[in-house]
Amino acid sequence: MSKVEDFEELRPLLFSIAYRILGSVSEAEDAVQETWLRFDGSATLPTSTKAFLSTTVTRISIDVLRSARVRREEYVGPWFPEPLLSDPYQDPARAVELADSVSMAALLLLERLSPLERAVFLLREVFAFGFDEIATAVERSEAACRQLLVRARRHMDAGRPRFAADRQERRELATRFFDALKNGDVGGLQELLAADVQLVGDGGGKAPQLARTIMGAQNVARLLGTAFPWLIRIDVTLEPHEINGQPGAILRDRDGKVLQILVLEVLDGRIQNIRGVSNPDKLGHIGPVGDAWAVDREVKRTRRQVTT
């Protein structure tokens, strides 16, 4: 095969590694493109193309993550990963690990790790690389990589939920949730929420967002059940869609432009977390992005007209 064919065959794997390290679709795509440029510019063919490309994209991603962490410290409000609609890399033998590692909850847990711990954990636990390959990728000894993995596992295990829902249960619960949301059914929403549910939004200061985390089934149900009917009045639509391997939805304005994504985290038969991403910088890869501020103004105007 040609260089281009070799690279394109491995592109899904490279993107999946980069996205899990970086939590950003755009930065992962840039890392993959930089990997191609280095591969294309190499005068000699590597013994193993997969090893060379995986090592290259891992090192690039680690460097990008180190600088990104500085920017995230100045981020306005809660920071969430860029939503991923579908993972391009599929491996039946690693299906469970791949699905678990791409969820919003898992990516936020990975934020607790250092860049090296994160890379080692992902390469070993998710992609099943050998320690010799990992050591080359992160430029550490195999012994050091094993120590990094132990620390990473400890952090990840401490934050993982004890009772996760299966795929079918999540799907059915999400369908009921979004039906209740569309109907403004506050009681129906409350029945589906965990007592300590949290509703959190990431607008990055560039879109309307919650001033604080909303906690508790009654508070979350009341807010969502009363707010969404007003969005329907101005032709905002809700499109159920799997996001980061979890049930979610895309909110669009009357022109079909993306306003926000919602992701549900289901645990022990109830919705435990609802995460919204409305920062337009994180939505452009999904499609044209709408003006969330304009929608917010229209909702307020409509409410004033109806209530006066």
Side-chain angles (χ1 to χ4, degrees), residues 3-4 6-8 10-11 13-15 17 31-61 123 129 132-139:
K3 265 190 172 183
V4 172
D6 279 344
F7 183 83
E8 290 302 322
L10 290 165
R11 180 189 286 273
L13 171 63
L14 303 179
F15 174 85
I17 292 172
V32 172
Q33 180 61 23
E34 177 63 25
T35 299
W36 160 250
L37 293 175
R38 296 188 188 183
F39 181 50
D40 187 45
S42 175
T44 59
L45 287 176
T47 303
S48 168
T49 301
K50 178 182 176 182
F52 175 85
L53 294 176
S54 299
T55 293
T56 303
V57 81
T58 297
R59 291 179 181 176
I60 291 170
S61 298
L123 292 176
F129 278 63
D132 56 337
E133 298 170 299
I134 297 170
T136 299
V138 302
E139 300 178 287

mmCIF file of all heavy atoms in Angstrom, residues 3-4 6-8 10-11 13-15 17 31-61 123 129 132-139:
data_model
loop_
_atom_site.group_PDB
_atom_site.id
_atom_site.type_symbol
_atom_site.label_atom_id
_atom_site.label_comp_id
_atom_site.label_asym_id
_atom_site.label_seq_id
_atom_site.Cartn_x
_atom_site.Cartn_y
_atom_site.Cartn_z
ATOM 1 N N LYS A 3 1.754 5.256 1.129
ATOM 2 C CA LYS A 3 1.741 5.950 2.415
ATOM 3 C C LYS A 3 0.344 6.455 2.749
ATOM 4 O O LYS A 3 -0.118 6.355 3.892
ATOM 5 C CB LYS A 3 2.726 7.128 2.380
ATOM 6 C CG LYS A 3 4.107 6.819 2.925
ATOM 7 C CD LYS A 3 4.898 8.103 3.078
ATOM 8 C CE LYS A 3 6.212 7.820 3.824
ATOM 9 N NZ LYS A 3 6.978 9.062 4.064
ATOM 10 N N VAL A 4 -0.314 7.034 1.749
ATOM 11 C CA VAL A 4 -1.650 7.575 1.968
ATOM 12 C C VAL A 4 -2.603 6.468 2.399
ATOM 13 O O VAL A 4 -3.383 6.628 3.352
ATOM 14 C CB VAL A 4 -2.174 8.273 0.698
ATOM 15 C CG1 VAL A 4 -3.643 8.670 0.867
ATOM 16 C CG2 VAL A 4 -1.333 9.492 0.365
ATOM 17 N N ASP A 6 -1.853 3.548 3.792
ATOM 18 C CA ASP A 6 -1.472 3.103 5.131
ATOM 19 C C ASP A 6 -2.037 4.043 6.197
ATOM 20 O O ASP A 6 -2.585 3.600 7.209
ATOM 21 C CB ASP A 6 0.056 3.062 5.264
ATOM 22 C CG ASP A 6 0.649 1.804 4.664
ATOM 23 O OD1 ASP A 6 -0.115 0.849 4.424
ATOM 24 O OD2 ASP A 6 1.871 1.792 4.421
ATOM 25 N N PHE A 7 -1.872 5.330 5.947
ATOM 26 C CA PHE A 7 -2.315 6.318 6.926
ATOM 27 C C PHE A 7 -3.833 6.312 7.069
ATOM 28 O O PHE A 7 -4.362 6.333 8.193
ATOM 29 C CB PHE A 7 -1.829 7.713 6.520
ATOM 30 C CG PHE A 7 -2.195 8.777 7.519
ATOM 31 C CD1 PHE A 7 -1.410 8.976 8.643
ATOM 32 C CD2 PHE A 7 -3.330 9.565 7.354
ATOM 33 C CE1 PHE A 7 -1.739 9.948 9.580
ATOM 34 C CE2 PHE A 7 -3.668 10.531 8.274
ATOM 35 C CZ PHE A 7 -2.870 10.723 9.398
ATOM 36 N N GLU A 8 -4.545 6.307 5.954
ATOM 37 C CA GLU A 8 -5.999 6.356 5.999
ATOM 38 C C GLU A 8 -6.581 5.140 6.699
ATOM 39 O O GLU A 8 -7.612 5.234 7.376
ATOM 40 C CB GLU A 8 -6.581 6.495 4.590
ATOM 41 C CG GLU A 8 -6.337 7.850 3.958
ATOM 42 C CD GLU A 8 -6.895 8.998 4.786
ATOM 43 O OE1 GLU A 8 -7.990 8.833 5.378
ATOM 44 O OE2 GLU A 8 -6.240 10.059 4.857
ATOM 45 N N LEU A 10 -5.305 3.696 9.209
ATOM 46 C CA LEU A 10 -5.082 3.863 10.646
ATOM 47 C C LEU A 10 -5.663 5.157 11.203
ATOM 48 O O LEU A 10 -5.648 5.371 12.420
ATOM 49 C CB LEU A 10 -3.578 3.807 10.942
ATOM 50 C CG LEU A 10 -2.943 2.426 10.775
ATOM 51 C CD1 LEU A 10 -1.420 2.532 10.737
ATOM 52 C CD2 LEU A 10 -3.383 1.501 11.907
ATOM 53 N N ARG A 11 -6.186 6.012 10.344
ATOM 54 C CA ARG A 11 -6.708 7.307 10.793
ATOM 55 C C ARG A 11 -7.747 7.170 11.914
ATOM 56 O O ARG A 11 -7.689 7.920 12.907
ATOM 57 C CB ARG A 11 -7.299 8.086 9.616
ATOM 58 C CG ARG A 11 -7.849 9.453 10.025
ATOM 59 C CD ARG A 11 -8.626 10.106 8.893
ATOM 60 N NE ARG A 11 -7.751 10.602 7.848
ATOM 61 C CZ ARG A 11 -7.192 11.808 7.848
ATOM 62 N NH1 ARG A 11 -7.426 12.638 8.852
ATOM 63 N NH2 ARG A 11 -6.428 12.188 6.842
ATOM 64 N N LEU A 13 -8.087 4.973 14.282
ATOM 65 C CA LEU A 13 -7.385 4.678 15.526
ATOM 66 C C LEU A 13 -6.650 5.910 16.036
ATOM 67 O O LEU A 13 -6.711 6.228 17.241
ATOM 68 C CB LEU A 13 -6.398 3.535 15.306
ATOM 69 C CG LEU A 13 -5.425 3.254 16.466
ATOM 70 C CD1 LEU A 13 -6.184 2.827 17.716
ATOM 71 C CD2 LEU A 13 -4.396 2.194 16.063
ATOM 72 N N LEU A 14 -5.973 6.603 15.162
ATOM 73 C CA LEU A 14 -5.200 7.786 15.572
ATOM 74 C C LEU A 14 -6.113 8.860 16.149
ATOM 75 O O LEU A 14 -5.800 9.477 17.177
ATOM 76 C CB LEU A 14 -4.414 8.338 14.379
ATOM 77 C CG LEU A 14 -3.449 7.370 13.696
ATOM 78 C CD1 LEU A 14 -2.761 8.048 12.526
ATOM 79 C CD2 LEU A 14 -2.426 6.825 14.693
ATOM 80 N N PHE A 15 -7.252 9.088 15.494
ATOM 81 C CA PHE A 15 -8.197 10.089 16.007
ATOM 82 C C PHE A 15 -8.724 9.665 17.378
ATOM 83 O O PHE A 15 -8.838 10.491 18.291
ATOM 84 C CB PHE A 15 -9.370 10.282 15.041
ATOM 85 C CG PHE A 15 -10.435 11.194 15.598
ATOM 86 C CD1 PHE A 15 -10.336 12.568 15.460
ATOM 87 C CD2 PHE A 15 -11.517 10.667 16.293
ATOM 88 C CE1 PHE A 15 -11.303 13.408 16.006
ATOM 89 C CE2 PHE A 15 -12.486 11.495 16.840
ATOM 90 C CZ PHE A 15 -12.380 12.859 16.689
ATOM 91 N N ILE A 17 -7.349 7.803 19.667
ATOM 92 C CA ILE A 17 -6.325 8.018 20.694
ATOM 93 C C ILE A 17 -6.234 9.497 21.045
ATOM 94 O O ILE A 17 -6.258 9.881 22.225
ATOM 95 C CB ILE A 17 -4.954 7.498 20.211
ATOM 96 C CG1 ILE A 17 -4.959 5.976 20.091
ATOM 97 C CG2 ILE A 17 -3.836 7.947 21.162
ATOM 98 C CD1 ILE A 17 -3.705 5.401 19.430
ATOM 99 N N ALA A 31 -4.105 17.107 15.608
ATOM 100 C CA ALA A 31 -3.022 16.184 15.979
ATOM 101 C C ALA A 31 -2.846 15.097 14.924
ATOM 102 O O ALA A 31 -1.718 14.722 14.575
ATOM 103 C CB ALA A 31 -3.302 15.565 17.344
ATOM 104 N N VAL A 32 -3.957 14.598 14.396
ATOM 105 C CA VAL A 32 -3.890 13.580 13.352
ATOM 106 C C VAL A 32 -3.284 14.162 12.076
ATOM 107 O O VAL A 32 -2.453 13.520 11.411
ATOM 108 C CB VAL A 32 -5.296 13.005 13.064
ATOM 109 C CG1 VAL A 32 -5.270 12.090 11.842
ATOM 110 C CG2 VAL A 32 -5.807 12.239 14.282
ATOM 111 N N GLN A 33 -3.650 15.391 11.746
ATOM 112 C CA GLN A 33 -3.092 16.026 10.552
ATOM 113 C C GLN A 33 -1.591 16.254 10.701
ATOM 114 O O GLN A 33 -0.813 16.023 9.758
ATOM 115 C CB GLN A 33 -3.800 17.359 10.290
ATOM 116 C CG GLN A 33 -3.319 18.120 9.070
ATOM 117 C CD GLN A 33 -3.504 17.354 7.771
ATOM 118 O OE1 GLN A 33 -4.361 16.457 7.694
ATOM 119 N NE2 GLN A 33 -2.720 17.674 6.752
ATOM 120 N N GLU A 34 -1.166 16.682 11.888
ATOM 121 C CA GLU A 34 0.269 16.866 12.131
ATOM 122 C C GLU A 34 1.003 15.530 12.063
ATOM 123 O O GLU A 34 2.144 15.460 11.570
ATOM 124 C CB GLU A 34 0.479 17.520 13.498
ATOM 125 C CG GLU A 34 1.942 17.712 13.904
ATOM 126 C CD GLU A 34 2.708 18.640 12.973
ATOM 127 O OE1 GLU A 34 2.081 19.495 12.304
ATOM 128 O OE2 GLU A 34 3.951 18.508 12.902
ATOM 129 N N THR A 35 0.353 14.475 12.518
ATOM 130 C CA THR A 35 0.943 13.135 12.423
ATOM 131 C C THR A 35 1.176 12.751 10.962
ATOM 132 O O THR A 35 2.227 12.195 10.606
ATOM 133 C CB THR A 35 0.029 12.104 13.105
ATOM 134 O OG1 THR A 35 -0.115 12.441 14.487
ATOM 135 C CG2 THR A 35 0.601 10.692 12.994
ATOM 136 N N TRP A 36 0.183 13.057 10.119
ATOM 137 C CA TRP A 36 0.338 12.766 8.694
ATOM 138 C C TRP A 36 1.506 13.545 8.088
ATOM 139 O O TRP A 36 2.297 13.001 7.320
ATOM 140 C CB TRP A 36 -0.937 13.097 7.929
ATOM 141 C CG TRP A 36 -0.692 13.288 6.459
ATOM 142 C CD1 TRP A 36 -0.754 14.445 5.745
ATOM 143 C CD2 TRP A 36 -0.288 12.273 5.520
ATOM 144 N NE1 TRP A 36 -0.415 14.236 4.432
ATOM 145 C CE2 TRP A 36 -0.119 12.903 4.268
ATOM 146 C CE3 TRP A 36 -0.027 10.913 5.621
ATOM 147 C CZ2 TRP A 36 0.279 12.208 3.124
ATOM 148 C CZ3 TRP A 36 0.379 10.218 4.486
ATOM 149 C CH2 TRP A 36 0.510 10.866 3.250
ATOM 150 N N LEU A 37 1.628 14.813 8.439
ATOM 151 C CA LEU A 37 2.703 15.633 7.879
ATOM 152 C C LEU A 37 4.069 15.064 8.258
ATOM 153 O O LEU A 37 4.990 15.046 7.435
ATOM 154 C CB LEU A 37 2.563 17.078 8.376
ATOM 155 C CG LEU A 37 1.339 17.848 7.865
ATOM 156 C CD1 LEU A 37 1.260 19.220 8.530
ATOM 157 C CD2 LEU A 37 1.383 17.994 6.346
ATOM 158 N N ARG A 38 4.209 14.589 9.481
ATOM 159 C CA ARG A 38 5.482 14.017 9.902
ATOM 160 C C ARG A 38 5.738 12.687 9.201
ATOM 161 O O ARG A 38 6.879 12.376 8.825
ATOM 162 C CB ARG A 38 5.503 13.843 11.425
ATOM 163 C CG ARG A 38 5.431 15.165 12.177
ATOM 164 C CD ARG A 38 5.651 14.975 13.668
ATOM 165 N NE ARG A 38 5.405 16.209 14.397
ATOM 166 C CZ ARG A 38 5.568 16.355 15.700
ATOM 167 N NH1 ARG A 38 5.998 15.319 16.420
ATOM 168 N NH2 ARG A 38 5.313 17.510 16.302
ATOM 169 N N PHE A 39 4.691 11.908 9.034
ATOM 170 C CA PHE A 39 4.813 10.629 8.345
ATOM 171 C C PHE A 39 5.171 10.842 6.881
ATOM 172 O O PHE A 39 6.076 10.205 6.334
ATOM 173 C CB PHE A 39 3.494 9.863 8.479
ATOM 174 C CG PHE A 39 3.482 8.511 7.820
ATOM 175 C CD1 PHE A 39 4.498 7.587 8.040
ATOM 176 C CD2 PHE A 39 2.431 8.143 6.985
ATOM 177 C CE1 PHE A 39 4.473 6.334 7.443
ATOM 178 C CE2 PHE A 39 2.397 6.895 6.379
ATOM 179 C CZ PHE A 39 3.420 5.984 6.611
ATOM 180 N N ASP A 40 4.470 11.768 6.251
ATOM 181 C CA ASP A 40 4.705 12.054 4.835
ATOM 182 C C ASP A 40 6.090 12.638 4.607
ATOM 183 O O ASP A 40 6.721 12.417 3.565
ATOM 184 C CB ASP A 40 3.635 13.020 4.326
ATOM 185 C CG ASP A 40 3.712 13.228 2.824
ATOM 186 O OD1 ASP A 40 3.860 12.234 2.088
ATOM 187 O OD2 ASP A 40 3.611 14.395 2.379
ATOM 188 N N GLY A 41 6.573 13.385 5.601
ATOM 189 C CA GLY A 41 7.883 14.012 5.461
ATOM 190 C C GLY A 41 9.041 13.111 5.820
ATOM 191 O O GLY A 41 10.210 13.492 5.648
ATOM 192 N N SER A 42 8.738 11.914 6.324
ATOM 193 C CA SER A 42 9.800 10.987 6.700
ATOM 194 C C SER A 42 10.431 10.372 5.453
ATOM 195 O O SER A 42 9.732 9.905 4.549
ATOM 196 C CB SER A 42 9.236 9.876 7.603
ATOM 197 O OG SER A 42 10.214 8.923 7.886
ATOM 198 N N ALA A 43 11.736 10.358 5.400
ATOM 199 C CA ALA A 43 12.439 9.860 4.212
ATOM 200 C C ALA A 43 12.429 8.340 4.134
ATOM 201 O O ALA A 43 12.563 7.763 3.048
ATOM 202 C CB ALA A 43 13.876 10.375 4.209
ATOM 203 N N THR A 44 12.252 7.674 5.270
ATOM 204 C CA THR A 44 12.272 6.213 5.281
ATOM 205 C C THR A 44 10.967 5.677 5.857
ATOM 206 O O THR A 44 10.319 6.335 6.687
ATOM 207 C CB THR A 44 13.444 5.675 6.134
ATOM 208 O OG1 THR A 44 13.310 6.172 7.470
ATOM 209 C CG2 THR A 44 14.769 6.130 5.560
ATOM 210 N N LEU A 45 10.594 4.491 5.430
ATOM 211 C CA LEU A 45 9.394 3.862 5.958
ATOM 212 C C LEU A 45 9.712 3.182 7.280
ATOM 213 O O LEU A 45 10.730 2.496 7.415
ATOM 214 C CB LEU A 45 8.858 2.826 4.966
ATOM 215 C CG LEU A 45 8.190 3.375 3.710
ATOM 216 C CD1 LEU A 45 7.795 2.232 2.775
ATOM 217 C CD2 LEU A 45 6.953 4.198 4.075
ATOM 218 N N PRO A 46 8.859 3.351 8.302
ATOM 219 C CA PRO A 46 9.105 2.704 9.590
ATOM 220 C C PRO A 46 8.895 1.199 9.492
ATOM 221 O O PRO A 46 8.192 0.703 8.604
ATOM 222 C CB PRO A 46 8.066 3.347 10.507
ATOM 223 C CG PRO A 46 6.957 3.748 9.584
ATOM 224 C CD PRO A 46 7.617 4.163 8.302
ATOM 225 N N THR A 47 9.505 0.457 10.424
ATOM 226 C CA THR A 47 9.318 -0.995 10.458
ATOM 227 C C THR A 47 7.849 -1.337 10.676
ATOM 228 O O THR A 47 7.295 -2.235 10.030
ATOM 229 C CB THR A 47 10.168 -1.620 11.574
ATOM 230 O OG1 THR A 47 11.536 -1.261 11.368
ATOM 231 C CG2 THR A 47 10.027 -3.128 11.597
ATOM 232 N N SER A 48 7.211 -0.600 11.582
ATOM 233 C CA SER A 48 5.779 -0.768 11.846
ATOM 234 C C SER A 48 5.085 0.580 11.691
ATOM 235 O O SER A 48 5.334 1.499 12.483
ATOM 236 C CB SER A 48 5.530 -1.314 13.259
ATOM 237 O OG SER A 48 4.165 -1.203 13.593
ATOM 238 N N THR A 49 4.258 0.704 10.672
ATOM 239 C CA THR A 49 3.553 1.966 10.448
ATOM 240 C C THR A 49 2.623 2.279 11.614
ATOM 241 O O THR A 49 2.543 3.424 12.060
ATOM 242 C CB THR A 49 2.741 1.903 9.140
ATOM 243 O OG1 THR A 49 3.629 1.641 8.060
ATOM 244 C CG2 THR A 49 2.020 3.211 8.887
ATOM 245 N N LYS A 50 1.925 1.268 12.111
ATOM 246 C CA LYS A 50 1.005 1.483 13.236
ATOM 247 C C LYS A 50 1.755 2.005 14.455
ATOM 248 O O LYS A 50 1.307 2.957 15.115
ATOM 249 C CB LYS A 50 0.271 0.189 13.584
ATOM 250 C CG LYS A 50 -0.670 0.328 14.772
ATOM 251 C CD LYS A 50 -1.344 -0.998 15.118
ATOM 252 C CE LYS A 50 -2.211 -0.867 16.358
ATOM 253 N NZ LYS A 50 -2.842 -2.146 16.747
ATOM 254 N N ALA A 51 2.893 1.397 14.773
ATOM 255 C CA ALA A 51 3.664 1.824 15.941
ATOM 256 C C ALA A 51 4.165 3.255 15.759
ATOM 257 O O ALA A 51 4.103 4.069 16.687
ATOM 258 C CB ALA A 51 4.829 0.873 16.173
ATOM 259 N N PHE A 52 4.663 3.564 14.567
ATOM 260 C CA PHE A 52 5.190 4.904 14.308
ATOM 261 C C PHE A 52 4.083 5.948 14.433
ATOM 262 O O PHE A 52 4.258 6.979 15.099
ATOM 263 C CB PHE A 52 5.799 4.965 12.912
ATOM 264 C CG PHE A 52 6.259 6.343 12.506
ATOM 265 C CD1 PHE A 52 7.514 6.806 12.869
ATOM 266 C CD2 PHE A 52 5.435 7.184 11.770
ATOM 267 C CE1 PHE A 52 7.935 8.081 12.506
ATOM 268 C CE2 PHE A 52 5.843 8.455 11.408
ATOM 269 C CZ PHE A 52 7.098 8.908 11.773
ATOM 270 N N LEU A 53 2.953 5.703 13.797
ATOM 271 C CA LEU A 53 1.864 6.687 13.803
ATOM 272 C C LEU A 53 1.243 6.828 15.190
ATOM 273 O O LEU A 53 0.928 7.944 15.621
ATOM 274 C CB LEU A 53 0.798 6.300 12.781
ATOM 275 C CG LEU A 53 1.232 6.347 11.314
ATOM 276 C CD1 LEU A 53 0.108 5.854 10.407
ATOM 277 C CD2 LEU A 53 1.646 7.766 10.913
ATOM 278 N N SER A 54 1.070 5.717 15.888
ATOM 279 C CA SER A 54 0.496 5.778 17.234
ATOM 280 C C SER A 54 1.413 6.540 18.183
ATOM 281 O O SER A 54 0.959 7.352 18.998
ATOM 282 C CB SER A 54 0.245 4.362 17.766
ATOM 283 O OG SER A 54 -0.667 3.666 16.954
ATOM 284 N N THR A 55 2.701 6.280 18.076
ATOM 285 C CA THR A 55 3.666 7.002 18.899
ATOM 286 C C THR A 55 3.644 8.488 18.589
ATOM 287 O O THR A 55 3.641 9.334 19.500
ATOM 288 C CB THR A 55 5.082 6.441 18.651
ATOM 289 O OG1 THR A 55 5.146 5.102 19.144
ATOM 290 C CG2 THR A 55 6.149 7.289 19.332
ATOM 291 N N THR A 56 3.614 8.806 17.308
ATOM 292 C CA THR A 56 3.638 10.215 16.904
ATOM 293 C C THR A 56 2.403 10.958 17.388
ATOM 294 O O THR A 56 2.499 12.050 17.964
ATOM 295 C CB THR A 56 3.749 10.327 15.372
ATOM 296 O OG1 THR A 56 4.921 9.644 14.932
ATOM 297 C CG2 THR A 56 3.818 11.775 14.940
ATOM 298 N N VAL A 57 1.225 10.390 17.181
ATOM 299 C CA VAL A 57 0.006 11.093 17.578
ATOM 300 C C VAL A 57 -0.093 11.193 19.096
ATOM 301 O O VAL A 57 -0.612 12.183 19.624
ATOM 302 C CB VAL A 57 -1.248 10.408 16.983
ATOM 303 C CG1 VAL A 57 -1.694 9.190 17.791
ATOM 304 C CG2 VAL A 57 -2.398 11.405 16.859
ATOM 305 N N THR A 58 0.429 10.203 19.810
ATOM 306 C CA THR A 58 0.417 10.261 21.272
ATOM 307 C C THR A 58 1.310 11.388 21.774
ATOM 308 O O THR A 58 0.912 12.172 22.643
ATOM 309 C CB THR A 58 0.890 8.920 21.868
ATOM 310 O OG1 THR A 58 -0.032 7.893 21.496
ATOM 311 C CG2 THR A 58 0.968 8.992 23.384
ATOM 312 N N ARG A 59 2.527 11.482 21.224
ATOM 313 C CA ARG A 59 3.440 12.542 21.677
ATOM 314 C C ARG A 59 2.892 13.929 21.347
ATOM 315 O O ARG A 59 2.984 14.854 22.177
ATOM 316 C CB ARG A 59 4.808 12.348 21.019
ATOM 317 C CG ARG A 59 5.553 11.121 21.524
ATOM 318 C CD ARG A 59 6.888 10.958 20.824
ATOM 319 N NE ARG A 59 7.597 9.764 21.287
ATOM 320 C CZ ARG A 59 8.761 9.340 20.787
ATOM 321 N NH1 ARG A 59 9.339 10.030 19.812
ATOM 322 N NH2 ARG A 59 9.336 8.245 21.263
ATOM 323 N N ILE A 60 2.335 14.073 20.171
ATOM 324 C CA ILE A 60 1.740 15.368 19.791
ATOM 325 C C ILE A 60 0.602 15.714 20.740
ATOM 326 O O ILE A 60 0.494 16.846 21.234
ATOM 327 C CB ILE A 60 1.238 15.328 18.336
ATOM 328 C CG1 ILE A 60 2.416 15.242 17.364
ATOM 329 C CG2 ILE A 60 0.375 16.553 18.026
ATOM 330 C CD1 ILE A 60 2.005 14.957 15.936
ATOM 331 N N SER A 61 -0.247 14.739 21.038
ATOM 332 C CA SER A 61 -1.409 14.977 21.894
ATOM 333 C C SER A 61 -0.989 15.333 23.316
ATOM 334 O O SER A 61 -1.603 16.200 23.956
ATOM 335 C CB SER A 61 -2.317 13.744 21.901
ATOM 336 O OG SER A 61 -2.820 13.479 20.610
ATOM 337 N N LEU A 123 -3.625 4.010 26.359
ATOM 338 C CA LEU A 123 -2.945 3.078 25.456
ATOM 339 C C LEU A 123 -3.016 1.643 25.971
ATOM 340 O O LEU A 123 -3.166 0.703 25.186
ATOM 341 C CB LEU A 123 -1.494 3.507 25.251
ATOM 342 C CG LEU A 123 -1.275 4.797 24.470
ATOM 343 C CD1 LEU A 123 0.218 5.149 24.418
ATOM 344 C CD2 LEU A 123 -1.835 4.699 23.044
ATOM 345 N N PHE A 129 -2.266 -1.675 24.056
ATOM 346 C CA PHE A 129 -0.884 -1.643 23.579
ATOM 347 C C PHE A 129 0.004 -2.358 24.595
ATOM 348 O O PHE A 129 -0.272 -2.365 25.804
ATOM 349 C CB PHE A 129 -0.410 -0.197 23.420
ATOM 350 C CG PHE A 129 -0.844 0.451 22.137
ATOM 351 C CD1 PHE A 129 -2.189 0.644 21.847
ATOM 352 C CD2 PHE A 129 0.091 0.874 21.201
ATOM 353 C CE1 PHE A 129 -2.594 1.248 20.667
ATOM 354 C CE2 PHE A 129 -0.304 1.477 20.019
ATOM 355 C CZ PHE A 129 -1.653 1.666 19.745
ATOM 356 N N ASP A 132 6.019 -2.280 25.978
ATOM 357 C CA ASP A 132 7.162 -1.845 25.182
ATOM 358 C C ASP A 132 6.753 -0.738 24.211
ATOM 359 O O ASP A 132 7.489 0.250 24.020
ATOM 360 C CB ASP A 132 7.761 -3.027 24.427
ATOM 361 C CG ASP A 132 6.749 -3.755 23.547
ATOM 362 O OD1 ASP A 132 5.525 -3.659 23.817
ATOM 363 O OD2 ASP A 132 7.173 -4.421 22.583
ATOM 364 N N GLU A 133 5.563 -0.875 23.620
ATOM 365 C CA GLU A 133 5.062 0.149 22.701
ATOM 366 C C GLU A 133 4.734 1.442 23.450
ATOM 367 O O GLU A 133 5.021 2.555 22.973
ATOM 368 C CB GLU A 133 3.804 -0.347 21.988
ATOM 369 C CG GLU A 133 4.016 -1.585 21.122
ATOM 370 C CD GLU A 133 2.714 -2.168 20.642
ATOM 371 O OE1 GLU A 133 1.887 -2.582 21.485
ATOM 372 O OE2 GLU A 133 2.494 -2.198 19.410
ATOM 373 N N ILE A 134 4.134 1.298 24.620
ATOM 374 C CA ILE A 134 3.764 2.477 25.419
ATOM 375 C C ILE A 134 5.018 3.221 25.863
ATOM 376 O O ILE A 134 5.076 4.463 25.816
ATOM 377 C CB ILE A 134 2.926 2.048 26.638
ATOM 378 C CG1 ILE A 134 1.612 1.419 26.180
ATOM 379 C CG2 ILE A 134 2.645 3.243 27.542
ATOM 380 C CD1 ILE A 134 0.833 0.750 27.295
ATOM 381 N N ALA A 135 6.023 2.478 26.292
ATOM 382 C CA ALA A 135 7.268 3.099 26.743
ATOM 383 C C ALA A 135 7.894 3.937 25.632
ATOM 384 O O ALA A 135 8.389 5.051 25.872
ATOM 385 C CB ALA A 135 8.238 2.017 27.214
ATOM 386 N N THR A 136 7.858 3.423 24.423
ATOM 387 C CA THR A 136 8.388 4.180 23.283
ATOM 388 C C THR A 136 7.552 5.430 23.031
ATOM 389 O O THR A 136 8.089 6.520 22.782
ATOM 390 C CB THR A 136 8.397 3.302 22.018
ATOM 391 O OG1 THR A 136 9.238 2.171 22.238
ATOM 392 C CG2 THR A 136 8.906 4.083 20.817
ATOM 393 N N ALA A 137 6.237 5.280 23.108
ATOM 394 C CA ALA A 137 5.345 6.396 22.794
ATOM 395 C C ALA A 137 5.516 7.558 23.764
ATOM 396 O O ALA A 137 5.503 8.728 23.357
ATOM 397 C CB ALA A 137 3.896 5.921 22.788
ATOM 398 N N VAL A 138 5.669 7.261 25.063
ATOM 399 C CA VAL A 138 5.737 8.340 26.063
ATOM 400 C C VAL A 138 7.165 8.623 26.512
ATOM 401 O O VAL A 138 7.386 9.454 27.400
ATOM 402 C CB VAL A 138 4.850 8.013 27.285
ATOM 403 C CG1 VAL A 138 3.403 7.803 26.861
ATOM 404 C CG2 VAL A 138 5.366 6.793 28.050
ATOM 405 N N GLU A 139 8.119 7.910 25.921
ATOM 406 C CA GLU A 139 9.548 8.148 26.202
ATOM 407 C C GLU A 139 9.876 7.968 27.686
ATOM 408 O O GLU A 139 10.534 8.785 28.306
ATOM 409 C CB GLU A 139 9.958 9.536 25.714
ATOM 410 C CG GLU A 139 9.767 9.725 24.218
ATOM 411 C CD GLU A 139 10.130 11.116 23.744
ATOM 412 O OE1 GLU A 139 9.351 12.050 24.026
ATOM 413 O OE2 GLU A 139 11.177 11.263 23.099
#
